[in-house]
Amino acid sequence: MYKLTTEDVANFEGDRKMKWLPVLPQQCILLMTCLLMVLEAVPIDIDKTKVKGEGHVEGEKVENPDTGLYYDEYLKQVIDVLETDKHFREKLQTADIEEIKSGKLSRELDLVSHHVRTRLDELKRQEVARLRMLIKAKMDSVQDTGLDHQALLKQFEHLNHQNPDTFEPKDLDMLIKAATSDLENYDKTRHEEFKKYEMMKEHERREYLKTLDEEKRQREESKFEEMKKKHGDHPKVHHPGSKDQLKEVWEEADGLDPNEFDPKTFFKLHDVNNDGFLDEQELEALFTKELEKVYDPKNEEDDMVEMEEERLRMREHVMNEVDINKDRLVTLEEFLRATEKKEFLEPDSWETLDQQQLFTEDELKEFESHISQQEDELRKKAEDLEKQKEELQRQQDQLQAQKQELQQVVKQMEQKKLQQGNPPAGPAGELKFQPPSDHKVGDAPKHPAGGDQPLPPVHVQEPAARTDQVHP
């Protein structure tokens, strides 16, 4: 049976090129925290007139970025609906990450209001309909028939396909587990995509060099080495999450005195949505100053895709060091505890991507072999299509020749009928012309006397019989 992958689904919703968007922090955790955790941030005294830029406006809705999941919109809509139920919201405030992951929280769905359940039912029906439409589109694209939509729906693990009409606790449990698993693997997938990107760059460079003569090839190689050297010539990059790195943000981005650096105040300043956590997006924003030391969009030698990969690696490193319970959120307690470690004051040097070997020569050869195999398959398909085109053209030419022959035969038959004194007939045997006539429609025909036309019949009345006649 044909297998529809989640990649196929993504391809029908738009090109799934490398999307170097930050992973959705609160939403990633919806379901790990359902975005409904509303813990108050620690109050601090701070003169915000010293802070550059505009702060977060209280009550302002923060736009959540795309998670990159193929069911991202469905995930967001379920979150929004669950947020409207007071009972469910209260349960989330007291739930820990293990309760959410284990499915214990899902059972609370039975206690939400009827209005919320009705809206969730509607969302699920819409999502099932969307998946069925994508499946049908995929089947049509490969011209396959006889496939079972219901069987293909089993491949999607974020909802219960056995009940396509109502949203049950099992649906919430499956959505939580699918989102948790997918988001845990999301960074790994992005790293793999980046590695392919780098290997493709090198592959295309080597293929281009093969087209040049020796002199031009040497010039290109020299230019390439010069650009690598220029890119690597940058100021020291502070270790992400270290005191030096955070103090640099405090001074240059926040406009505060470096001698008055305070971790608690720093945390409050960069908790942009005031939810009591530093999420992944807020953490990644802390590394902008470090990245600007290495990457400039105006420089030919600096690749912005590499900059986003660098940002992702910095965020991952800090999360691994600071996020104790692995819920992809940094609490104030976790943050302060990290500032007490030796690594915070005396960090190791940070190796940027230009100082690392991103792939081996063997990996590149394997990648090129895979590309060559794909090119061969595409070439074969192109040849098959060309043969089909030639065959269709041949059949069309043949039909055109037969049409011309038939037209010639009809023409000869018409000429023959004319020579025999018979009017030519049309395709259905009808006369192609009528004898000429000067009479208008409705005029009575006039026949000259003595003409050949027969006179109309005249009725002659017989004489009546005589009553006085004597019979013998």
Side-chain angles (χ1 to χ4, degrees):
M1 176 172 287
Y2 177 78
K3 183 173 180 60
L4 183 72
T5 65
T6 54
E7 230 175 279
D8 292 327
V9 174
N11 289 337
F12 273 94
E13 296 174 323
D15 291 335
R16 195 174 187 180
K17 296 178 181 177
M18 277 193 307
K19 294 166 65 178
W20 305 101
L21 296 172
V23 177
L24 182 63
Q26 295 156 298
Q27 222 170 333
C28 292
I29 315 276
L30 147 76
L31 296 176
M32 294 204 313
T33 59
C34 281
L35 298 182
L36 305 177
M37 305 191 77
V38 287
L39 300 178
E40 292 294 329
V42 176
I44 57 173
D45 294 326
I46 177 172
D47 183 2
K48 291 199 175 184
T49 60
K50 295 182 181 180
V51 181
K52 294 182 180 179
E54 296 182 358
H56 175 69
V57 178
E58 186 175 354
E60 179 183 359
K61 184 174 179 61
V62 178
E63 186 67 24
N64 290 318
D66 192 343
T67 60
L69 303 176
Y70 66 89
Y71 49 90
D72 173 75
E73 188 63 26
Y74 176 63
L75 178 65
K76 290 177 181 177
Q77 290 172 339
V78 170
I79 293 171
D80 291 341
V81 172
L82 288 173
E83 280 184 323
T84 64
D85 187 86
K86 182 180 179 181
H87 170 80
F88 200 86
R89 190 182 184 91
E90 290 174 350
K91 285 293 181 182
L92 277 168
Q93 291 176 10
T94 58
D96 59 31
I97 191 64
E98 290 306 320
E99 287 179 323
I100 295 173
K101 287 183 176 181
S102 68
K104 181 178 179 180
L105 184 66
S106 302
R107 293 192 287 273
E108 297 296 329
L109 188 66
D110 288 329
L111 302 178
V112 302
S113 68
H114 175 72
H115 173 73
V116 169
R117 288 297 292 270
T118 300
R119 180 63 184 135
L120 290 173
D121 291 346
E122 182 182 349
L123 289 177
K124 182 179 179 182
R125 286 192 292 269
Q126 291 174 357
E127 178 69 357
V128 170
R130 182 184 74 89
L131 294 177
R132 284 175 173 164
M133 179 186 69
L134 294 174
I135 291 170
K136 183 179 185 303
K138 182 62 180 178
M139 291 192 297
D140 291 344
S141 70
V142 297
Q143 297 181 350
D144 205 346
T145 57
L147 298 184
D148 183 0
H149 284 212
Q150 194 70 11
L152 290 175
L153 275 174
K154 295 179 182 178
Q155 299 175 49
F156 302 106
E157 298 178 351
H158 64 287
L159 51 72
N160 178 16
H161 65 89
Q162 294 178 342
N163 180 9
D165 298 317
T166 58
F167 192 97
E168 302 295 338
K170 183 175 180 180
D171 289 288
L172 182 57
D173 187 41
M174 292 178 71
L175 187 55
I176 291 172
K177 291 179 179 178
T180 302
S181 174
D182 291 343
L183 291 168
E184 285 175 351
N185 295 323
Y186 190 60
D187 287 343
K188 180 181 178 182
T189 301
R190 287 171 61 176
H191 287 318
E192 291 173 353
E193 291 297 324
F194 174 74
K195 186 175 181 178
K196 291 178 182 178
Y197 169 80
E198 288 293 312
M199 289 193 290
M200 179 60 78
K201 275 175 54 177
E202 179 61 17
H203 168 70
E204 291 177 346
R205 187 184 76 85
R206 294 186 183 187
E207 290 298 308
Y208 172 66
L209 290 177
K210 291 178 182 179
T211 65
L212 305 178
D213 57 37
E214 186 62 28
E215 182 180 352
K216 290 182 179 179
R217 188 181 300 115
Q218 289 180 359
R219 283 204 301 267
E220 284 295 323
E221 289 282 19
S222 298
K223 180 182 177 181
F224 177 71
E225 293 300 326
E226 182 182 345
M227 289 177 65
K228 279 180 62 177
K229 183 178 179 181
K230 186 178 178 182
H231 174 70
D233 186 16
H234 53 71
K236 177 185 176 182
V237 177
H238 293 304
H239 198 86
S242 67
K243 185 175 183 179
D244 290 338
Q245 190 258 314
L246 299 184
K247 281 183 68 176
E248 188 174 60
V249 175
W250 173 275
E251 180 179 6
E252 297 187 16
D254 300 334
L256 300 175
D257 187 345
N259 296 320
E260 297 179 1
F261 175 76
D262 176 62
K264 183 183 290 188
T265 303
F266 184 91
F267 183 94
K268 176 63 177 176
L269 276 175
H270 294 278
D271 177 17
V272 179
N273 56 7
N274 295 323
D275 65 350
F277 301 95
L278 290 182
D279 57 42
E280 294 176 339
Q281 187 181 11
E282 290 165 339
L283 276 178
E284 289 183 4
L286 300 179
F287 311 134
T288 299
K289 286 293 178 184
E290 298 304 314
L291 294 169
E292 287 176 351
K293 297 176 182 178
V294 187
Y295 300 94
D296 185 342
K298 298 178 182 177
N299 294 340
E300 182 184 1
E301 67 273 10
D302 296 339
D303 188 334
M304 295 301 102
V305 174
E306 292 179 358
M307 182 185 77
E308 293 306 319
E309 174 69 10
E310 193 85 68
R311 188 193 303 272
L312 170 61
R313 294 186 181 208
M314 288 179 171
R315 187 258 297 160
E316 279 186 307
H317 172 76
V318 173
M319 276 293 188
N320 288 334
E321 294 291 321
V322 180
D323 182 20
I324 298 173
N325 64 356
K326 305 304 177 185
D327 64 353
R328 302 172 78 95
L329 295 171
V330 176
T331 64
L332 177 63
E333 181 183 358
E334 290 173 330
F335 184 77
L336 295 178
R337 187 178 298 180
T339 62
E340 298 171 356
K341 295 180 179 179
K342 179 181 177 181
E343 293 81 359
F344 181 73
L345 300 174
E346 302 175 5
D348 298 329
S349 60
W350 177 256
E351 288 189 353
T352 53
L353 289 173
D354 55 285
Q355 298 172 309
Q356 302 177 37
Q357 183 179 9
L358 300 176
F359 54 85
T360 66
E361 194 65 26
D362 288 340
E363 288 174 327
L364 179 60
K365 287 180 179 179
E366 183 179 353
F367 178 74
E368 289 179 325
S369 175
H370 181 65
I371 290 177
S372 177
Q373 182 180 353
Q374 288 182 323
E375 289 175 346
D376 289 341
E377 291 175 358
L378 289 174
R379 193 178 301 110
K380 186 177 183 303
K381 287 181 180 179
E383 290 173 356
D384 291 341
L385 289 173
E386 185 62 29
K387 289 179 181 179
Q388 292 177 19
K389 179 183 175 182
E390 292 174 357
E391 177 62 21
L392 289 173
Q393 185 62 48
R394 187 189 67 77
Q395 292 177 5
Q396 183 178 0
D397 293 344
Q398 189 177 23
L399 290 173
Q400 186 64 27
Q402 292 176 355
K403 178 181 177 181
Q404 291 175 354
E405 289 178 4
L406 288 172
Q407 289 175 341
Q408 187 65 27
V409 170
V410 171
K411 186 177 180 181
Q412 291 174 358
M413 291 176 65
E414 289 179 351
Q415 290 177 349
K416 187 175 180 181
K417 287 182 179 181
L418 286 173
Q419 291 173 359
Q420 295 175 352
N422 297 326
E430 72 276 10
L431 292 178
K432 299 188 72 173
F433 66 88
Q434 298 292 337
S437 173
D438 295 331
H439 303 301
K440 295 181 180 179
V441 177
D443 289 347
K446 297 179 181 179
H447 304 289
D452 294 335
Q453 296 294 335
L455 294 174
V458 178
H459 177 70
V460 181
Q461 186 175 2
E462 296 182 0
R466 293 178 63 182
T467 58
D468 57 343
Q469 185 175 0
V470 179
H471 297 280

